[in-house]
Amino acid sequence: METTDKKTIKGGEFLITETAYQDVFIPEEFDEEQNMIAQTCRDFLAAEIYPNLDRIDTQEEGLMPSLMDKAGELGILGVSIPEEYGGFGKNFNTSMLVADVIGAGHSFAVALSAHTGIGTLPILYYGNNEQKDRYIPKLATGEWKAAYCLTEPNSGSDANSGKTKAKLTEDGKHYLINGQKMWITNGGFADVFIVFAKIDDDANLTAFIVEREFGGITMNPEEHKMGIKGSSTRQVFFNDCPVPVENMLSERQNGFKIAVNILNIGRIKLAAAAIGASKSVIDTAVNYSNERIQFDRPISKYGAIRYKLAEMASKVYAVESANYRAGQNIDDAYDTLVAGGMDEGKAKLKSTEQFAVECAILKVWGSEVLDYVVDEGVQIYGGMGFSAEAPMDRAYRDARINRIFEGTNEINRLLTVDMMLKRAMKGELDLMTPATAVAAELMSIPDFGEEDNALFAAEKKTIKNLKKATLMVAGAAVQKLMMSLSKEQEILMNIADMAGYVYVAESAMLRTEKLVSLKGAESSEGQLNLMRIYFVEALDAIQKAGKEALWAFAEGDELRMMMVGLKRFTKSEPFNVKEVRQKVAQQLTAANKYCF
């Protein structure tokens, strides 16, 4: 790890500030201990999960809990839990690394992430000392398994509208919980449930720690699902379930805030898991393309297949870069808050909340890259891809839930823009000054300046311009639509796409620049190529999203001027991307796996 003083950045600030490569963390910098933890996870998947995928998918009685026990014995469940509670006390990016590697574990990955994330963290971050002492050590080892009960039949994205009720008993010792929860991961075997309910006629939810042994809990049979079939998913009913008053988590009516903050963590961890799953699918697809012979040669020799392999790798590389960049930002923010005297639990929450914008972007990008990768994986397998006997079948079906989990991708796109605008209105993020500067720049003659041929000069200029394009469209939309902008979901999603592509493309560039500084350009040629392929995608996508947004709200001279600006800001030099894809594909097929 570098010990130089980093320039700390606030969440969402990437759009208006320039980041130096020295200030980002890249996965190539993980130390020996972190790499050993990752290897432990890989070995666990190879020994316990991959040989048993069919048994897991049939939900063989007791199998998933026993696998969780084995993961607990290896310490995999307690990586980010403080040592005083029996964990390893590792930083956020280490827990991201675990999510990444375990992400290739299909239904097991879902069970593990629900337990270690939304099941355990609410108690770790919001619980009082007695609650933490009682529950966290048992959750860290897997002796107790956890589930999270938020969603109801009529409250999904609108989580605070839940109907589950909690009423204080006459003796004041218990809350009686009544209600129905659905899509509860680990529901079938969990010992501890984080349950959200409204006390009496409260406007907001309150969270409770509920043990299965409290009684009054019944369940529907396991849900039959499109994918992640091995993950236990139940409807859970609470019928006068008595919960001791001391099991209220945090304060009354603080439940919605807990749900939102824990989801931030869930979102970025999902992005890490999706990238881990994507890398595994690429390994399989590359391997198959080398083995499958058509017209007397492996299909990996054909341009159409090489195109797919390179595109898959480029997207994975870019989002992986963004994942660990944001993870390190969260770690840095945590260190700063603790150094300033903040309680560690509060600092964990505050640091993730600070980067909620990036968490939302990454959730969308990670899940959509995985969907792209599994789809092309099926295509590379051809007819065999459609066979339930071949590995792409499970990968394809299991991937689909990720665009719905942890808030749908539509909700996360809307949140990305909403959170940035709210921060701007509170004065936490100065979006208007740079947006106004961009508007003024549109009226001036372009400054072509001297051409800089240094490595990364072109990419840095592109990123600067793509930020201007995003600020131009967002600033104009805010000015034109004012209060009605919140109802214009298509325009908001266009702006979210622009901001997301800026963040991910810039992350790919910063990672590659740092790699070149460490290993030299020649050793980093593959990564340079992956970055360049992604820049082509980002430029096209930002131009399309910007155009659609402008066409939706601007007209006349204003529209003409901004269309000229958009064209100027998304301009690219001719670049033989086909040739670069060929080189990337050759590297992949020579290594017979994802090798970046």
Side-chain angles (χ1 to χ4, degrees):
M1 298 289 246
E2 293 197 350
T3 52
T4 51
D5 287 338
K6 286 184 183 170
K7 179 174 173 282
T8 52
I9 188 170
K10 287 193 294 200
E13 213 179 11
F14 68 88
L15 197 56
I16 51 174
T17 59
E18 224 175 304
T19 300
Y21 77 81
Q22 293 91 339
D23 295 333
V24 299
F25 177 85
I26 62 174
E28 290 81 2
E29 292 179 289
F30 279 122
D31 63 28
E32 191 180 354
E33 189 184 11
Q34 289 166 318
N35 285 321
M36 279 170 64
I37 292 170
Q39 193 55 48
T40 301
C41 294
R42 283 187 203 100
D43 294 344
F44 177 78
L45 290 181
E48 304 291 345
I49 305 303
Y50 298 149
N52 296 309
L53 286 172
D54 289 335
R55 289 173 63 205
I56 292 168
D57 273 3
T58 59
Q59 295 207 357
E60 187 180 300
E61 187 70 33
L63 178 58
M64 188 68 90
S66 77
L67 292 169
M68 295 282 280
D69 289 339
K70 287 176 180 174
E73 285 163 22
L74 290 168
I76 294 171
L77 306 182
V79 168
S80 56
I81 287 173
E83 290 177 41
E84 66 199 274
Y85 298 113
F88 286 156
K90 294 297 167 199
N91 67 1
F92 192 79
N93 246 350
T94 310
S95 70
M96 286 279 287
L97 180 59
V98 171
D100 180 330
V101 177
I102 296 289
H106 296 279
S107 295
F108 175 77
V110 176
L112 180 129
S113 64
H115 169 83
T116 58
I118 54 180
T120 300
L121 296 182
I123 304 174
L124 184 62
Y125 293 166
Y126 287 96
N128 57 37
N129 289 336
E130 291 76 19
Q131 290 167 342
K132 288 193 273 198
D133 288 342
R134 174 167 173 76
Y135 294 105
I136 298 298
K138 287 181 171 152
L139 294 171
T141 60
E143 182 186 338
W144 280 0
K145 322 291 186 294
Y148 179 85
C149 299
L150 177 63
T151 304
E152 298 183 14
N154 294 310
S155 72
S157 298
D158 182 11
N160 205 38
S161 65
K163 301 283 187 286
T164 299
K165 291 287 187 188
K167 194 166 183 56
L168 193 62
T169 53
E170 282 181 21
D171 62 9
K173 290 183 177 174
H174 291 82
Y175 282 100
L176 293 178
I177 294 185
N178 285 281
Q180 175 185 0
K181 299 290 182 178
M182 70 188 301
W183 309 125
I184 305 309
T185 301
N186 296 352
F189 57 78
D191 305 285
V192 179
F193 301 86
I194 307 296
V195 181
F196 295 85
K198 283 181 181 169
I199 299 172
D200 302 331
D201 295 319
D202 284 357
N204 294 307
L205 296 165
T206 299
F208 298 89
I209 307 169
V210 180
E211 296 177 28
R212 188 185 284 268
E213 296 304 311
F214 288 166
I217 298 174
T218 55
M219 298 193 186
N220 269 5
E222 291 286 352
E223 299 284 354
H224 294 290
K225 308 186 293 289
M226 180 194 291
I228 56 165
K229 291 176 180 289
S231 149
S232 171
T233 310
R234 297 279 191 105
Q235 284 196 42
V236 183
F237 300 89
F238 298 91
N239 308 290
D240 281 344
C241 171
V243 181
V245 290
E246 57 268 25
N247 273 41
M248 180 191 287
L249 189 56
S250 183
E251 293 127 34
R252 182 169 174 168
Q253 292 204 73
N254 206 30
F256 185 61
K257 193 170 182 190
I258 293 174
V260 167
N261 285 337
I262 295 301
L263 281 174
N264 286 332
I265 298 166
R267 282 170 184 149
I268 188 169
K269 293 278 182 73
L270 183 146
I275 291 308
S278 297
K279 285 188 274 192
S280 174
V281 171
I282 293 174
D283 286 350
T284 314
V286 170
N287 195 273
Y288 184 80
S289 75
N290 277 334
E291 289 177 0
R292 173 73 169 157
I293 307 293
Q294 289 292 281
F295 307 106
D296 297 327
R297 57 207 293 239
I299 62 170
S300 62
K301 300 279 188 203
Y302 294 106
I305 300 295
R306 288 185 168 188
Y307 168 91
K308 293 178 189 306
L309 295 175
E311 283 290 314
M312 291 154 86
S314 166
K315 289 170 171 40
V316 166
Y317 176 77
V319 178
E320 182 183 49
S321 309
N323 280 346
Y324 291 114
R325 173 190 182 184
Q328 189 62 42
N329 286 152
I330 290 167
D331 273 328
D332 291 344
Y334 168 78
D335 291 341
T336 304
L337 292 167
V338 170
M342 190 181 278
D343 165 76
E344 288 183 10
K346 279 204 180 100
K348 289 263 188 213
L349 282 166
K350 201 77 192 149
S351 56
T352 320
E353 189 186 344
Q354 171 70 262
F355 290 92
V357 169
E358 287 80 356
C359 293
I361 288 171
L362 289 167
K363 190 271 168 175
V364 173
W365 255 251
S367 60
E368 291 184 4
V369 164
L370 176 58
D371 254 7
Y372 177 88
V373 167
V374 295
D375 189 71
E376 290 290 49
V378 170
Q379 200 68 14
I380 288 167
Y381 265 71
M384 280 305 293
F386 209 68
S387 166
E389 303 301 312
M392 286 303 162
D393 164 69
R394 183 182 282 109
Y396 187 83
R397 287 183 291 99
D398 286 356
R400 189 57 186 84
I401 187 60
N402 293 300
R403 281 163 49 202
I404 299 167
F405 263 167
E406 312 286 2
T408 65
N409 283 11
E410 290 71 25
I411 286 287
N412 275 290
R413 280 185 163 92
L414 297 173
L415 273 173
T416 296
V417 184
D418 180 60
M419 289 187 288
M420 288 183 97
L421 292 179
K422 278 186 176 149
R423 288 180 186 190
M425 284 158 79
K426 283 186 198 163
E428 294 170 9
L429 205 57
D430 180 15
L431 292 177
M432 282 326 284
T433 304
T436 310
V438 174
E441 189 180 329
L442 290 180
M443 308 295 287
S444 65
I445 297 162
D447 173 21
F448 296 108
E450 288 292 310
E451 198 173 329
D452 186 349
N453 293 316
L455 195 56
F456 300 107
E459 285 80 13
K460 285 178 183 177
K461 187 178 175 186
T462 297
I463 290 294
K464 210 176 267 188
N465 281 335
L466 293 181
K467 289 180 182 183
K468 287 178 184 176
T470 309
L471 288 164
M472 177 188 77
V473 174
V478 169
Q479 279 190 314
K480 188 77 181 273
L481 300 165
M482 298 289 191
M483 302 314 288
S484 67
L485 179 59
S486 61
K487 296 188 183 75
E488 294 286 357
Q489 292 193 341
E490 296 97 323
I491 295 170
L492 289 170
M493 292 205 286
N494 288 147
I495 296 167
D497 279 348
M498 296 176 83
Y501 267 109
V502 164
Y503 185 66
V504 176
E506 183 181 52
S507 301
M509 178 189 77
L510 292 168
R511 175 185 182 180
T512 312
E513 195 179 1
K514 190 164 203 179
L515 259 181
V516 168
S517 79
L518 296 169
K519 295 181 175 179
E522 208 173 313
S523 301
S524 313
E525 193 199 353
Q527 288 84 350
L528 280 159
N529 287 334
L530 291 170
M531 172 195 74
R532 287 166 181 149
I533 295 167
Y534 196 78
F535 264 64
V536 171
E537 177 183 337
L539 274 158
D540 287 348
I542 288 173
Q543 187 178 51
K544 181 175 183 285
K547 185 170 67 175
E548 283 186 13
L550 292 175
W551 286 356
F553 69 81
E555 53 193 17
D557 288 343
E558 181 195 27
L559 174 60
R560 274 189 289 278
M561 184 178 72
M562 284 196 289
M563 286 302 293
V564 168
L566 183 65
K567 197 173 175 185
R568 186 198 301 177
F569 296 141
T570 56
K571 183 173 170 283
S572 58
E573 293 302 317
F575 170 64
N576 188 348
V577 68
K578 184 207 105 164
E579 186 185 8
V580 173
R581 285 197 200 100
Q582 285 277 328
K583 287 179 181 171
V584 166
Q586 279 163 4
Q587 249 183 293
L588 290 164
T589 53
N592 205 24
K593 63 177 185 178
Y594 180 83
C595 53
F596 304 102

